[in-house]
Amino acid sequence: MTHAGDPFREELVALLDDALPAEARSRVEAHLAGCAACRQELEGLRRALRAIDGLPATAPGPGLEAAFEARFARERARGLRGVLRWLARPAPALALGGAAAALALVLVLVPGRGPSAGDELAVAQHLELVSDLEVLEQLELLEDLEAIESLGEEG
Amino acid sequence: MDHTEDTAALEPDPDARLMLAARAGDEEAFRALFRKHAPRLVGYADRFFRNRAVAEEVVQEIFLRVHRARGGYEPRARFTTWLYTIASRVCLNELRRRRSRPEDGLAQASAEAAPDPGTIPGAEAALAGRELEGVVQRCLDRLPEHQRLALVLTRFGEHAYAEAGELLGVSEAAVKSLVFRAASAVQQALAEAGADVPGAGGPR
Ligand SMILES: [Zn+2]
């Protein structure tokens, strides 16, 4: 086994991160047992990772909870408006499957004249997210369907 | 902070109970989760954006998404595993969005413009630690984006290499290489600064 080059040093970082499969791990450990240079290298990388872990974390300012509370309230109000618009639409959204339906729902939610143009941009970006967050968006659709059912009860 | 495997899975997870309550419509339970996890998530998001105001915005977005996704929550893994998967996705997407819209591209500019902690005068003992942090932080700020993100996801986001790979759209082997190059750059920066890490315990 070579040990001076990067491929082996990669293994050392993975070892420190507990990210090696058992076989590779014992191979690396066996080499370390007989090679002082690699042990020294391991310590250097360990120090680097510890220094990274030890970086201070940014703490939130005092207004975060209140800001979220306001946004959360808007979100719920907008969700309801979206459902009402959705109800007012002719049927095709229901015929679409899966992600396409989620996408359609997001599109319906867009014109819900949110508080700012920034929100519209944000929602436009959600379209881009649909592929990544497909599951979340579908769940959102299901929730809104539930909300529609419960609207009937309220009436 | 250690990741994935610990024995917590065998114990009842109070966060999971809160999230199940939130799923059932208990908004106080949801707020309790926000109060408990939002502060640390701001720290996490700030690793991506290097801007506290942006990080706070993004954390709010994360919790809106948690709320929207509540119906699909199942306590299969630890709650924080689920939470940080959503959090990392939102952070990465927001980062991409800002990159594609330069007028919003705060992250790079702020990293560059951030005050240099190493130059702040202070008491000698405290300065040693702060100097060290400055060296490490500046090194991270200058890393190529993918190296930096691989490091942030695996060290601060509690993601295993394979998960980080999925999030970044690269292979697990690529993540290993990215994390290595990032760690190696920090190691070199420390060596060049003549810095040692307190408590590292190596013979010196
Ligand atoms: Zn060796």
Side-chain angles (χ1 to χ4, degrees):
Chain A
M1 177 191 297
T2 60
H3 63 268
D6 278 0
F8 188 74
R9 296 176 71 219
E10 278 182 23
E11 301 293 302
L12 294 178
V13 173
L15 177 75
L16 292 169
D17 268 347
D18 208 9
L20 285 181
E23 190 205 342
R25 186 191 175 95
S26 44
R27 200 157 24 90
V28 172
E29 282 172 345
H31 176 84
L32 282 169
C35 180
C38 282
R39 284 200 301 276
Q40 195 177 1
E41 180 69 21
L42 184 74
E43 282 317 302
L45 289 167
R46 192 198 306 275
R47 279 199 292 275
L49 292 179
R50 278 190 192 159
I52 293 163
D53 292 345
L55 285 174
T58 297
L64 179 63
E65 201 177 325
F68 179 69
E69 196 57 53
R71 219 172 139 181
F72 188 38
R74 277 209 305 278
E75 159 93 1
R76 283 174 299 180
R78 191 160 44 167
L80 185 59
R81 270 204 305 277
V83 169
L84 292 173
R85 275 168 182 274
W86 192 89
L87 270 177
R89 264 172 82 91
L94 268 183
L96 301 172
L103 187 84
L105 181 72
V106 173
L107 282 168
V108 171
L109 289 172
V110 173
R113 56 180 175 78
S116 74
D119 282 338
E120 308 243 340
L121 288 170
V123 177
Q125 287 304 322
H126 285 197
L127 300 181
E128 186 187 318
L129 301 188
V130 165
S131 59
D132 283 346
L133 292 170
E134 196 175 300
V135 175
L136 297 187
E137 301 292 358
Q138 285 181 26
L139 291 169
E140 197 177 344
L141 173 68
L142 292 176
E143 278 167 34
D144 284 319
L145 290 173
E146 282 169 27
I148 289 164
E149 284 167 18
S150 62
L151 276 179
E153 293 163 23
E154 278 173 29
Chain B
M1 142 184 31
D2 212 346
H3 330 136
T4 48
E5 77 227 295
D6 58 11
T7 52
L10 302 174
E11 297 154 20
D13 177 356
D15 290 340
R17 265 187 281 121
L18 284 171
M19 192 58 219
L20 286 171
R23 189 179 78 177
D26 181 347
E27 290 186 351
E28 272 317 306
F30 177 65
R31 289 186 177 95
L33 286 169
F34 181 87
R35 283 192 296 270
K36 178 169 176 191
H37 293 284
R40 208 183 122 206
L41 273 176
V42 168
Y44 181 50
D46 188 59
R47 311 260 184 222
F48 289 82
F49 300 99
R50 304 284 292 124
N51 178 307
R52 190 182 82 180
V54 173
E56 291 193 4
E57 283 288 314
V58 168
V59 167
Q60 293 179 50
E61 179 65 27
I62 289 165
F63 273 91
L64 290 182
R65 291 201 162 266
V66 165
H67 191 257
R68 286 175 209 162
R70 68 193 182 281
Y73 174 72
E74 291 292 343
R76 279 184 222 105
R78 283 193 309 158
F79 171 74
T80 49
T81 304
W82 186 73
L83 176 64
Y84 274 76
T85 299
I86 293 176
S88 300
R89 283 186 181 165
V90 172
C91 286
L92 289 170
N93 276 309
E94 182 62 16
L95 203 58
R96 275 179 214 128
R97 192 179 79 82
R98 285 173 184 274
R99 291 284 184 266
S100 67
R101 300 178 64 228
E103 67 272 28
D104 273 1
L106 294 164
Q108 238 154 9
S110 73
E112 233 105 74
D116 182 342
T119 64
I120 299 168
E124 292 84 353
L127 194 64
R130 222 182 290 163
E131 227 169 52
L132 176 81
E133 284 164 8
V135 167
V136 175
Q137 187 64 66
R138 275 194 302 281
C139 178
L140 295 191
D141 288 343
R142 287 167 189 165
L143 285 177
E145 179 110 310
H146 260 64
Q147 288 183 31
R148 190 174 71 91
L149 293 176
L151 197 68
V152 167
L153 290 169
T154 57
R155 300 220 74 73
F156 300 111
E158 316 210 344
H159 295 295
Y161 283 17
E163 291 164 7
E166 277 174 38
L167 287 162
L168 290 173
V170 301
S171 69
E172 183 176 352
V175 170
K176 186 161 87 168
S177 174
L178 289 166
V179 171
F180 158 71
R181 279 184 276 161
S184 195
V186 170
Q187 182 190 15
Q188 194 176 341
L190 288 171
E192 280 167 11
D196 203 350
V197 179
R204 275 262 138 181

